[in-house]
Amino acid sequence: MATAADLDRPADNLETFRDEARAWLGENFPAELRGHDNAMSAVDGPTAETPAQRKWREAMGDKGWGVPTWPTEYGGGGLSRAQARVLQEEMGRIGAWNPIGGMGVMMFGPTLLEYGSEAQKQQHIPGIVRGEVRWCQGYSEPGAGSDLASLQTFAEDKGDHYIVNGQKTWTSGGQWADKCFALVRTDKSQKHAGISFLLLDMTSAGVETRPIRLISGSSPFCETFFTNVKVPKENLVGREGQGWEIGTRLLQHERNSLSGGGGSAGRMNAGERVADIAKRYRETDASGRLADADLRTRIIKHEMDQRAFALTLRRAALEAKGNAGPSAATSVMKNVGARITQDRAELNVEIMGLQGLGWEGEGFTQAELEQTRTWLWGKAVSIYGGSSEIQNNVIAKRILGMLDHQ
């Protein structure tokens, strides 16, 4: 991983790298993919790769630039954060997008690099780097959502392996995943200290997924059932009873991504400006401004918030030191990102009026139908990855230093 010293890399070295990155992208990014998106990132599941998409994914995977700051010994790019920003700028310049993503990149990979054994890193990180292995998260259970430490999925010690029984819910992408990183109970006598972090193969006998259909019409989540699933002991990350520590660290990486650094919130805030959408659906005055002064003011406030948030995220990245990674401050970013995302969707529906409430049939454009689903789907942004209420608790305790009163 990059060090703090990398932030002070001489400008001429960065410009040399910029030239190298520009040349490599020019040779390897298929022009026909300009403006498209990652085939793995669709809400309704990964779509089939075209030959061009496959070529692009393999090129980025071989180069390690899908995870540019990860160590080269596991296939990563080995770039400094400064170089990674240059790479992102050069990709943006030509309309290129990162074909490597998913929960392996967002959450599991960074956590395994910190807590995993050398054998586990060698086994699992390269598949993430090349975009060949899909991961899902086994955390929440029907009786353990906000109080996650109450989870009951049990891994019984059988000598050289565990036998896992239990149920998880809201397993994002579980029906398409190859592997699962999960919190399981290995000791029923202790609440937090009885939890361990275990890796499961989703093709194992006894694993069953049942998709959950959301109000948006998509089914990105699953109920996942484990019935006498055999898991080798070498799939334990860290030591028994360390799961709560590892799992909490992983959630910081998740919230960092969901706050706008590549997660769903970032994608939903991308695209056409709200002001431009408004000018197509609402009346304008002689000077070309929106005639509705109140709506105009609220759009301006939203775009100011969005811009300030983007600058704050960038500043936070610049101020990060060493390999400390995300902190409890990601809870602040996650809450703000969720609010801005939902504000955008609400504004767009209000601007479109009845055209923003279509579900199917004639009389609606595809963009209008997608907006309806985006608005409904966006209700989950303040829930998944830890609800806004849970984030407020984290902020109060770990940032503001407020303690519970008995």
Side-chain angles (χ1 to χ4, degrees), residues 358-376:
W359 188 253
E360 61 184 5
E362 298 180 358
F364 301 95
T365 66
Q366 185 61 35
E368 289 167 348
L369 296 177
E370 288 176 357
Q371 175 55 46
T372 302
R373 285 163 171 75
T374 296
W375 168 58
L376 292 171

Side-chain angles (χ1 to χ4, degrees), residues 7-277:
L7 293 176
D8 301 320
R9 200 174 285 270
D12 57 342
N13 288 354
L14 284 181
E15 288 309 306
T16 298
F17 175 74
R18 184 182 299 277
D19 292 339
E20 295 172 358
R22 182 173 297 184
W24 187 88
L25 290 169
E27 294 174 1
N28 289 276
F29 179 64
E32 65 201 79
L33 298 183
R34 184 188 299 269
H36 289 209
D37 200 357
N38 190 340
M40 300 280 286
S41 68
V43 172
D44 286 315
T47 57
E49 285 183 311
T50 65
Q53 287 172 334
R54 181 181 181 86
K55 177 184 176 182
W56 175 230
R57 176 178 57 80
E58 290 177 344
M60 282 287 277
D62 291 342
K63 190 72 170 176
W65 281 2
V67 283
T69 61
W70 287 17
T72 56
E73 57 262 42
Y74 309 117
L79 303 183
S80 68
R81 287 191 297 276
Q83 288 175 317
R85 288 195 299 275
V86 169
L87 174 61
Q88 186 176 31
E89 290 168 1
E90 288 303 308
M91 290 176 64
R93 185 182 63 83
I94 63 171
W97 42 272
N98 191 343
I100 310 296
M103 291 190 177
V105 172
M106 289 170 56
M107 298 179 279
F108 176 61
T111 307
L112 192 68
L113 287 171
E114 187 173 351
Y115 287 95
S117 67
E118 183 61 25
Q120 288 171 336
K121 294 174 188 178
Q122 293 286 354
Q123 179 182 0
H124 298 296
I125 296 297
I128 298 172
V129 170
R130 295 192 299 268
E132 295 173 348
V133 179
R134 301 187 186 99
W135 285 84
C136 65
Q137 178 186 45
Y139 272 30
S140 296
E141 299 183 3
S146 295
D147 183 15
L148 181 59
S150 294
L151 63 89
Q152 295 301 311
T153 295
F154 187 60
E156 184 180 2
D157 192 333
K158 291 294 185 178
D160 65 346
H161 66 277
Y162 295 101
I163 294 296
V164 179
N165 283 280
Q167 178 185 354
K168 298 293 182 178
T169 193
W170 309 118
T171 312
S172 299
Q175 65 269 53
W176 307 298
D178 304 298
K179 307 281 186 179
C180 175
F181 52 91
L183 291 181
V184 299
R185 187 161 298 284
T186 48
D187 184 347
K188 294 183 179 180
S189 68
Q190 303 183 79
K191 188 172 183 180
H192 293 79
I195 296 172
S196 299
F197 195 97
L198 201 61
L199 310 181
L200 299 94
D201 190 326
M202 292 296 284
T203 64
S204 297
V207 178
E208 178 189 0
T209 59
R210 300 176 187 172
I212 300 171
R213 189 172 181 84
L214 305 183
I215 59 172
S216 64
S218 63
S219 300
F221 305 110
C222 286
E223 295 178 286
T224 305
F225 300 87
F226 303 110
T227 305
N228 295 325
V229 179
K230 184 177 180 180
V231 181
K233 276 285 184 70
E234 55 263 32
N235 284 15
L236 176 71
V237 178
R239 64 180 185 278
E240 281 195 4
Q242 197 181 6
W244 188 254
E245 174 191 339
I246 298 172
T248 301
R249 182 61 166 164
L250 182 142
L251 287 176
Q252 290 181 338
H253 287 292
E254 178 185 26
R255 290 160 188 166
N256 182 58
S257 182
L258 292 177
S259 67
S264 300
R267 286 197 303 274
M268 287 177 67
N269 282 335
E272 190 175 16
R273 292 177 58 219
V274 175
D276 293 333
I277 295 172

